[in-house]
Each structure stands twice: as structure tokens, then as C-alpha cells.
Amino acid sequence: MLLVDLGTLLTAVIVIVVAYLVVLWLALAFYVVRDARRRTTSPGFTLFAMLLGFVPPFLGALIYFMVRPPLTMEQVRSLAIEEQALLEPPLEGVPTRPCPTCGREIEQEFILCPYCRTQFARRCTGCDRSLRLGWGVCPYCATEVGAPALARTGR
Ligand SMILES: [Zn+2]
Ligand SMILES: [Zn+2]
């Protein structure tokens, strides 16, 4: 009687373990297919990923993770948009001038160059307009802006 029970128990354990592995295997395979779809539009690669996801179990998925394209299509797209933004010329109609340090076109009102980070002006504390670093007083609203920054650094 005890032996039979032990056998049944063993069978149950094996069934549970196998079922667990099968569920894990299928989940991993579906994950691989979905991941491949996000990374490529090529049906060939998706099919290849599907095969790898299922066979050999687990090892195939591992191989897939090693050979898959490093970026998803979303990532590729946002990278392209970022590059586009960097190359974009300044807005139309905004007065621009070349940066005195790196020569790139920047807006007239900028107090520093966003590309090379050179500061060549500062903001008036009174009217918020851009002032040259050497000015001690704002010519627009007559606010004293303190000692010129250039003289301070010279000492
Ligand atoms: Zn610059
Ligand atoms: Zn001012």
C-alpha cells in the first residue's frame, strides 16, 4: 500500500515538474517571438526566432538573446528623432548669430551657447534681458547688476 502511494506521489511530482517546465518553455517561446517582432520587420528573422524559441527548449531562447538585434524598432526610431533634432536649424524668424566660440548658429537672446557651453552674457536681475558679461549696469532698465564678471575672474 505504501509503495503504491509513493509511486503515485512520485508520478504527481514528475507531472507537476514537467507541466511547469512546459509552461515556462511556451512562455519563453512566446516572449521570444514578441521580442523579435519588436526588433525587426523581417518575417524571416521572426520565423527564425520562433523556431529558436521552441527548439531546443530554453537553449534556443538563450541563443536568440545572443543574436537578436540590439535595439528595438522604437529605440531606433527615437534615436533617429533625436539625431534629427540635433541637426535641425534654428527656428525660422528668430534672430540668430554665430556662437563666438564654436561658430554654430544660436539665437540672439541666448546668454550661453547650448552646443559648446561658452557663456558670453548674463541675465539682468531687473528686466531679464541678456547683458554682456562686461556690463555693470543694465542699459534697458538701469538696474545695477554688480561688478562685471570679467573683472572678477581677472583678479
Ligand atoms: Zn558655441
Ligand atoms: Zn534690465
Side-chain angles (χ1 to χ4, degrees):
M1 207 51 196
L2 192 72
L3 269 179
V4 173
D5 279 351
L6 211 63
T8 319
L9 195 70
L10 205 66
T11 313
V13 166
I14 289 171
V15 166
I16 288 169
V17 168
V18 168
Y20 178 79
L21 287 178
V22 166
V23 167
L24 206 65
W25 167 52
L26 288 180
L28 200 63
F30 281 115
Y31 175 80
V32 162
V33 173
R34 235 186 38 201
D35 189 77
R37 284 222 186 106
R38 284 175 57 211
R39 281 163 206 273
T40 179
T41 47
S42 144
F45 185 81
T46 311
L47 191 71
F48 168 71
M50 198 185 298
L51 288 178
L52 264 186
F54 283 103
V55 195
F58 305 112
L59 189 64
L62 196 68
I63 294 169
Y64 166 77
F65 288 126
M66 286 190 279
V67 302
R68 72 181 179 179
L71 294 176
T72 65
M73 285 186 289
E74 268 164 60
Q75 284 169 321
V76 169
R77 218 167 322 159
S78 64
L79 269 184
I81 289 169
E82 241 166 67
E83 255 164 51
Q84 184 76 44
L86 278 179
L87 294 176
E88 232 168 57
L91 289 172
E92 291 284 324
V94 177
T96 62
R97 57 173 171 159
C99 162
T101 307
C102 69
R104 270 182 271 205
E105 284 295 314
I106 56 170
E107 284 173 35
Q108 198 97 58
E109 288 289 292
F110 285 1
I111 59 170
L112 62 75
C113 171
Y115 302 109
C116 66
R117 293 165 181 270
T118 306
Q119 182 167 10
F120 36 76
R122 53 183 168 155
R123 288 252 167 245
C124 170
T125 50
C127 67
D128 224 33
R129 289 170 114 137
S130 54
L131 309 178
R132 303 229 180 110
L133 285 181
W135 296 350
V137 61
C138 172
Y140 303 106
C141 69
T143 302
E144 286 287 337
V145 288
L150 288 181
R152 248 186 294 146
T153 51
R155 229 178 285 158

